[in-house]
Amino acid sequence: GAEGDVLARGFGHLLFSQVSSRLLTFVLNLLVVRRLPPEVYGVAVIQFHLITTTILTFSREGVRRACLRGVKLGLGENEAAKTKNKQEQGEIDLKSIVPLSWFCLPQGLAWSTLICTLVLAFPGARDDEAYK
């Protein structure tokens, strides 16, 4: 029916965006690899991957877990238990999770600022000799 069509289109869009994103990243990495010497590229990739993984983990993990648990921001335990209607319960969940998910942006900016400041404050961490 109509739900199956919407689901198939959504899956198609998701699949296309994932494949195109991975393909673009691969092509850009390939172009960078051809331009840089292996020593410089290896150190830069390891540092960049470590920094981005750390920032993304710290900024998203707590919010992701809270969204998965279905945290009700505006309701206490008793008020949430009183909600009988499933549709109303779903609306409450959505209304509480969407603002919570936007919290990743300022939290990510804060973590990015902190981690990049720490990386730049310790120049020994950028030295190629540290990795040999």
Side-chain angles (χ1 to χ4, degrees):
E3 288 182 17
D5 293 341
V6 170
L7 186 62
R9 272 188 297 174
F11 178 75
H13 288 295
L14 181 63
L15 182 67
F16 174 74
S17 67
Q18 285 292 317
V19 169
S20 61
S21 171
R22 306 286 172 152
L23 189 61
L24 178 66
T25 304
F26 177 75
V27 169
L28 291 176
N29 279 334
L30 192 63
L31 293 174
V32 170
V33 166
R34 291 181 165 258
R35 297 273 180 185
L36 293 177
E39 303 85 30
V40 174
Y41 178 73
V43 171
V45 167
I46 291 171
Q47 285 182 344
F48 181 71
H49 182 68
L50 178 63
I51 290 169
T52 55
T53 303
T54 304
I55 291 169
L56 288 174
T57 300
F58 284 156
S59 64
R60 292 188 309 191
E61 193 61 26
V63 176
R64 184 186 69 83
R65 287 187 181 191
C67 288
L68 286 174
R69 289 183 184 151
V71 172
K72 319 259 184 311
L73 292 177
L75 297 177
E77 295 270 336
N78 293 336
E79 293 172 355
K82 291 178 186 176
T83 307
K84 303 276 189 219
N85 188 351
K86 292 287 185 189
Q87 184 178 5
E88 184 180 334
Q89 183 73 30
E91 290 173 10
I92 291 170
D93 286 344
L94 187 61
K95 287 179 183 177
S96 64
I97 289 174
V98 170
L100 181 64
S101 65
W102 278 102
F103 185 64
C104 286
L105 290 175
Q107 192 174 7
L109 284 172
W111 280 111
S112 297
T113 304
L114 176 69
I115 291 173
C116 290
T117 302
L118 288 174
V119 167
L120 294 174
F122 297 104
R126 292 181 287 153
D127 190 9
D128 290 344
E129 295 300 319
Y131 295 102
K132 291 183 179 179

